[in-house]
Amino acid sequence: MDLHGIREDYSKRQLSEEDCAADPLVQFEQWLNEAMTAQVNEPTAVNVAAVGTDGRPNSRMVLLKEVNSRGFVFFTNYQSRKGQSLAAHPFAALTFFWPELERQVRVEGRVEKLDAAASDEYFASRPYTSRIGAWASEQSSVIADKSVLVKRAAAIGLKHPLNVPRPPHWGGYIVIPDLVEFWQGRPSRLHDRIRYRLSDGLWLKERLAP
């Protein structure tokens, strides 16, 4: 399979420093709204990269569940591989990719757990079967086969037929950014890259070479 000749010339939009809001979180919300309006596939899907206890990087896709004035929120099992990585090294890099708009956003920053009340509130809003799944799956652990999950889920359903409480090992994280980059594809690989960098509590905007 020859991949060398696969190329796209991006030309849909452009991006300048003047186009961008003073606050990168405001700019991100604008781009996210545009992605949702354009009905891109999985607009809230985000790659989360962390560094494990062994010093090796690892990454996976999750769904963004909130963006606010502090940062980017997602939920997961604290005992999963990413949970263990974030416990050892509480920093993460996020990447959003919206190919339909020829855009991506990169985020780097410190990670904190959400407080229990915020995690409880979101967990209660999830579908019943998803709440069962949070208990049934010992995320990232080796299992013999799929029947292990099915049996665990059935047992949890019998124990909690109506209301499923949040597992203590499951909850939210917020990535508090100190760097956010907006990438807009342009012709001839002369892409627009605008980076926000936090310096002494203020956001600085810089154009990067593609």
Side-chain angles (χ1 to χ4, degrees), residues 70-164:
R70 293 192 69 219
F72 303 82
V73 174
F74 66 93
F75 294 83
T76 191
N77 187 315
Y78 294 144
Q79 297 173 355
S80 65
R81 186 181 181 192
K82 61 182 167 297
Q84 294 178 36
S85 296
L86 293 172
H89 305 287
F91 295 90
L94 311 179
T95 304
F96 298 85
F97 182 46
W98 301 311
E100 297 90 338
L101 299 178
E102 301 172 349
R103 286 175 170 174
Q104 64 176 308
V105 181
R106 295 180 53 251
V107 178
E108 296 178 14
R110 179 170 51 87
V111 179
E112 294 180 359
K113 284 184 179 179
L114 293 187
D115 62 41
S119 290
D120 287 342
E121 181 179 4
Y122 173 70
F123 189 79
S125 75
R126 302 182 87 208
Y128 175 80
T129 52
S130 295
R131 285 178 276 157
I132 291 289
W135 280 97
S137 175
E138 296 178 356
Q139 196 174 98
S140 301
S141 65
V142 176
I143 57 175
D145 54 52
K146 185 65 175 285
S147 67
V148 173
L149 291 176
V150 175
K151 290 176 182 177
R152 287 177 184 166
I156 295 297
L158 289 173
K159 184 176 181 180
H160 301 288
L162 298 176
N163 182 45
V164 184

